Amino acid sequence: MAVNYGKIWEQKVMEDFSKLPDSTIDRLYDQTTGYKFTSRNVSDTIGYVYPLHYYIECKSCKGNTFSLNNLPQYDKMVEKVGIKGVRVGVVLWFIDHKTVVYIPISTFTKLLEDNKKSVNIKMLNEGTYNIIEIPSETKRVFPSCDFSVLKTLKEGE
């Protein structure tokens, strides 16, 4: 039987985010209708580290690419962009590359405007899109992440 990394990854992100001083993070209950990709939540989690709120969607993918079709929360997340003190994005774990990135929802908007269909691991080093590598270390299966870099995000990220 295949292991579902998704739920375990969400829990790991919450654990690592909680290591930030004076932080809190809450998992939003999955409100699905029984169909794939039908969550009605804005994101998987809502975190807070003074003075910022974080709407974080946790995703993982094998291989080099993450399809934009795998982000059904996009429309709800983009509604949060522009609210002072709010940061909205995806923490994406490229499993095969042992790499974790933060992608602001505004970057997904730019990708869509550029008619891109996916995020490729190579985009991390190109500099065309705002994709932020999260310092992480993989000991066994799941990486341990240092989310302190999220405290430096600017408005719209």
Side-chain angles (χ1 to χ4, degrees):
M1 182 172 184
V3 176
N4 179 354
Y5 287 128
K7 295 296 176 200
I8 302 169
W9 172 235
E10 291 169 6
Q11 186 62 40
K12 186 68 175 115
V13 168
M14 290 180 61
E15 288 172 15
D16 290 346
F17 187 95
S18 295
K19 293 176 184 173
L20 295 172
D22 300 318
S23 67
T24 184
I25 189 165
D26 293 304
R27 171 80 171 91
L28 298 177
Y29 176 73
D30 281 331
Q31 301 171 351
T32 60
T33 58
Y35 298 101
K36 191 173 181 180
F37 304 127
T38 58
S39 177
R40 290 182 245 144
N41 288 334
V42 65
S43 61
D44 289 323
T45 65
I46 299 175
Y48 178 79
V49 181
Y50 179 81
L52 303 173
H53 280 88
Y54 299 90
Y55 288 86
I56 299 173
E57 182 65 22
C58 305
K59 297 291 186 183
S60 61
C61 69
K62 291 194 173 249
N64 297 331
T65 60
F66 173 77
S67 172
L68 300 185
N69 289 332
N70 291 333
L71 188 61
Q73 301 85 346
Y74 172 79
D75 290 333
K76 289 191 181 268
M77 293 178 83
V78 79
E79 291 174 6
K80 302 296 182 188
V81 173
I83 300 173
K84 188 176 176 106
V86 172
R87 305 298 184 258
V88 186
V90 174
V91 172
L92 175 59
W93 172 31
F94 284 100
I95 297 168
D96 296 339
H97 296 276
K98 297 182 179 178
T99 300
V100 179
V101 297
Y102 174 82
I103 307 170
I105 204 66
S106 57
T107 298
F108 282 97
T109 299
K110 183 164 177 22
L111 286 162
L112 290 167
E113 289 169 354
D114 293 347
N115 294 312
K116 300 291 183 186
K117 303 214 182 300
S118 63
V119 175
N120 190 294
I121 187 81
K122 293 176 186 175
M123 292 176 173
L124 178 60
N125 297 321
E126 286 177 356
T128 304
Y129 297 99
N130 187 14
I131 300 172
I132 302 159
E133 187 166 5
I134 302 292
S136 60
E137 179 183 356
T138 303
K139 293 184 179 172
R140 285 189 155 199
V141 176
F142 293 92
S144 294
C145 301
D146 177 2
F147 287 111
S148 60
V149 69
L150 297 183
K151 295 190 296 186
T152 65
L153 296 174
K154 299 173 184 67
E155 289 293 327
E157 294 184 322

